[in-house]
Amino acid sequence: MQEPPAANDAAVTEPIAARPDVAVVVVAAGSGQRVGDDGPPKQYRAIGGRAVLTRTLARFAASPLVGRIVTVIHPDHRGLYDQAAAGIGKLTAPVEGAANRQGSVRAGLEALAATPPDLVLIHDAARPFISEGLMIRLVASLAETPAVLAAVPVVDTLKRTSRAGLVTGTVDRDGLWAAQTPQGFRFDLIYAAHARAAAAGRDDFTDDAAVADWAGTPVAVVMGDPANTKITTADDLVHADRRARMEDTAIAGDVRVGTGYDVHAFAPGDRVILCGVPIPSVQTLAGHSDADVALHALTDAILGALGDGDIGAHFPPSDPRWKGCDSAVFVRDALARLKARGGVLSHADISIIAEAPKIAPHRETMRARLAQLLGVTLDRVGIKATTNEKLGFVGRREGIAAIATATVRLPWA
Ligand code: MG
């Protein structure tokens, strides 16, 4: 009678689907103390204004290849994780890691096992520059080989030294590769290999390719990416921060400036609202909403930069919903349209043209309010006021005009 094939061989011969279900395990359970100081572990440090883990997760979430992502975290870092993961798609509930990397990966695989994917990419959170190209190469290679490892050829000449630091020889670098993550596997194989390693009392594997190799699964090298570096030291963090900023600038390099103009007439009353700030006045401004002429001009400026209509198109004055409405609603809507297109607001500048009331005493309050509304620092908000030298409708104190510009950055389409 013929022996049944070993579990590994059976899985190897089973063809994977043309569009395989790919899951990702991101290992973020380490305490990462080599970056020094007493700050949070490296995966939660900000580079270019966002946590390393946030950037890593966002890269996978953005790839059409990836179906779901499970993050393995340290039990003490739940709060940090929740902050870092906020708003990122495809995430399943995080799982708690173990005392070592191998145990943490196993916990991540365990979390996927109830609905096993075809393939799994296992990745260290501290490599935030993972490219989609590398994900594609790994997944494509998994159609041929059950286990793959991203790695780059060693280019530096390698020296062996004595304890005293004296060179005792040159290591032949032929056939030597520096291992990276992701490492990719047929899910069933690596899940079984980890279970076997744990059952055998082995907990000393430093990567998953080694676990697969130990379990008898052939592992192929896939050309990694020299840019897919790992953050280990404080120096690495500094470099990663610089690079993240440069990449973000290159990505959101479509800089646009929009302008807006609005006028509201005076009506009987005792205050006007400008940039959300009530200012005592001998008259009020007439309008369907709260008549905040400054925020209306700014809303149009943002919409103008997006090429997305104007305030009247999105909020028709005929609609009773906007009667007496806080004009911050209109600004927030424009910002949401900006965000939906992956954009950010760099700067807003408003000029208010009025003979009265005096704006200067309220200017800093208005700037602070506007910065808060726009979610930017104070230096990104300009508010200026001028009279109209008694000329025209403004000069005759019939109303207030406002001109705004908004500078936004969008990703190149
Ligand atoms: Mg208006």
Side-chain angles (χ1 to χ4, degrees):
M1 196 180 87
Q2 205 187 341
E3 285 242 300
N8 281 0
D9 297 339
V12 173
T13 52
E14 221 171 87
I16 57 165
R19 291 213 50 177
D21 175 18
V22 180
V24 179
V25 173
V26 172
V27 190
S31 47
Q33 293 311 344
R34 266 187 288 177
V35 292
D37 71 48
D38 295 329
K42 61 186 177 183
Q43 63 273 32
Y44 297 107
R45 299 293 181 100
I47 56 170
R50 293 159 80 207
V52 170
L53 177 61
T54 305
R55 288 178 175 274
T56 305
L57 295 177
R59 288 278 174 111
F60 285 110
S63 170
L65 278 181
V66 172
R68 63 195 141 130
I69 306 164
V70 59
T71 312
V72 189
I73 64 171
H74 192 286
D76 295 347
H77 298 159
R78 184 58 200 247
L80 289 167
Y81 169 81
D82 286 342
Q83 261 187 323
I88 295 177
K90 300 185 185 176
L91 298 180
T92 61
V95 298
E96 290 187 4
N100 54 48
R101 188 185 183 284
Q102 189 186 327
S104 292
V105 171
R106 194 168 165 235
L109 296 172
E110 202 71 61
L112 294 170
T115 323
D118 298 316
L119 307 175
V120 63
L121 300 178
I122 302 171
H123 187 67
D124 289 328
R127 292 187 190 267
F129 299 109
I130 163 74
S131 68
E132 193 180 16
L134 180 51
M135 297 176 211
I136 291 169
R137 290 201 290 283
L138 289 162
V139 169
S141 300
L142 285 169
E144 315 286 326
T145 325
V148 294
L149 153 73
V152 288
V154 172
V155 291
D156 295 324
T157 298
L158 299 176
K159 297 291 185 190
R160 197 183 302 283
T161 61
S162 67
R163 278 176 189 264
L166 293 174
V167 173
T168 58
T170 299
V171 180
D172 181 8
R173 70 183 173 211
D174 189 40
L176 284 186
W177 295 74
Q180 301 185 331
T181 65
Q183 301 186 348
F185 306 91
R186 307 272 179 106
F187 178 80
D188 291 347
L189 279 182
I190 194 66
Y191 182 51
H194 265 276
R196 275 177 60 194
R202 291 289 304 267
D203 63 358
D204 53 335
F205 293 111
T206 53
D207 71 356
D208 305 290
V211 176
D213 182 53
W214 172 82
T217 298
V219 182
V221 162
V222 166
M223 185 56 75
D225 180 358
N228 179 32
T229 53
K230 184 173 184 177
I231 297 170
T232 305
T233 64
D235 235 22
D236 296 340
L237 262 179
V238 172
H239 286 122
D241 179 60
R242 199 172 301 151
R243 186 162 143 211
R245 283 175 199 281
M246 276 172 54
E247 285 189 4
D248 289 354
T249 306
I251 291 165
D254 188 359
V255 178
R256 298 164 173 213
V257 177
T259 66
Y261 173 75
D262 196 29
V263 174
H264 280 255
F266 280 125
D270 57 7
R271 61 175 200 171
V272 297
I273 294 175
L274 295 172
C275 295
V277 176
I279 297 172
S281 164
V282 294
Q283 298 181 89
T284 190
L285 289 173
H288 187 63
S289 65
D290 65 2
D292 190 330
V293 64
L295 292 191
H296 294 183
L298 179 61
T299 302
D300 268 352
I302 298 168
L303 292 172
L306 294 174
D308 187 359
D310 63 15
I311 190 170
H314 299 301
F315 299 94
S318 54
D319 190 331
R321 270 184 301 169
W322 318 122
K323 188 162 170 53
C325 162
D326 176 354
S327 294
V329 167
F330 311 140
V331 177
R332 286 199 196 99
D333 175 78
L335 289 174
R337 290 167 189 275
L338 173 64
K339 196 177 171 197
R341 292 193 17 202
V344 291
L345 184 113
S346 293
H347 173 250
D349 187 22
I350 301 176
S351 290
I352 294 164
I353 305 131
E355 299 294 327
K358 280 208 176 317
I359 305 297
H362 307 281
R363 175 152 73 173
E364 289 314 304
T365 311
M366 289 160 66
R367 279 182 77 210
R369 166 77 186 119
L370 200 51
Q372 185 198 29
L373 176 61
L374 298 174
V376 299
T377 51
L378 205 54
D379 65 304
R380 294 180 185 275
V381 174
I383 293 177
K384 306 174 307 302
T386 180
T387 69
N388 220 28
E389 296 292 340
K390 300 194 170 67
L391 296 172
F393 69 89
V394 170
R396 293 190 298 272
R397 299 183 180 231
E398 291 168 9
I400 294 180
I403 296 171
T405 61
T407 307
V408 306
R409 312 176 73 106
L410 292 171
W412 289 106

